[in-house]
Amino acid sequence: MKARSALNRRKPLLKMISAIPITAPDILHIDSNNNLVIRVNGKLIVQYSNDPAAKKFLKRNIYIAGDLDKGVESIINFKTTPLGLNNAGVLSEPTEVEYTGYWQYERAANLLPYDYVPE
């Protein structure tokens, strides 16, 4: 009986998130210096409706669990706003963005400098 009453007192682990489809003009803007910036307060959820090739590997090796039946989801947390972008789409302050979900497994290449050329 004690376990049941303790379970009833716990706060819920999941929160309902309302998803609103957005387009690039909703979050991409040109600032007063004619630079491209992203303006997102908080988090942005990216959902893929199809399974990427890496999903089977990640599931088989137990890197992901409890995922969507079809597709994957990533969450981008913007720590500051606005955040600058160059013409190639590279963030001016990459440490001000945190990735979770599927994209967190794609980080290795993102750690290299933008102008990296292998020998």
Side-chain angles (χ1 to χ4, degrees):
M1 207 50 126
K2 287 183 179 181
R4 175 166 285 190
S5 63
L7 182 63
N8 290 336
R9 286 193 305 263
R10 290 185 183 170
K11 294 181 180 178
L13 298 174
L14 301 174
K15 293 182 181 180
M16 181 63 86
I17 298 173
S18 60
I20 302 168
I22 61 169
T23 62
D26 294 331
I27 62 172
L28 294 175
H29 305 278
I30 297 175
D31 68 9
S32 59
N33 295 325
N34 210 27
N35 297 317
L36 190 61
V37 296
I38 298 176
R39 283 200 181 103
V40 175
N41 291 324
K43 298 178 181 180
L44 182 66
I45 298 173
V46 179
Q47 293 180 321
Y48 292 86
S49 57
N50 294 320
D51 289 342
K55 184 176 178 182
K56 281 185 182 179
F57 170 81
L58 294 171
K59 285 183 81 168
R60 184 175 55 242
N61 292 294
I62 315 174
Y63 292 117
I64 57 174
D67 58 335
L68 305 172
D69 290 335
K70 185 86 171 153
V72 291
E73 185 176 87
S74 296
I75 298 173
I76 308 168
N77 182 24
F78 293 89
K79 298 176 186 177
T80 61
T81 190
L83 195 59
L85 288 172
N86 69 14
N87 289 336
V90 176
L91 296 169
S92 60
E93 298 291 334
T95 58
E96 294 300 316
V97 179
E98 180 180 77
Y99 302 96
T100 59
Y102 177 71
W103 281 3
Q104 79 185 24
Y105 301 103
E106 299 292 322
R107 289 194 285 186
N110 294 335
L111 297 174
L112 295 172
Y114 171 66
D115 56 356
Y116 175 77
V117 179
E119 294 180 8

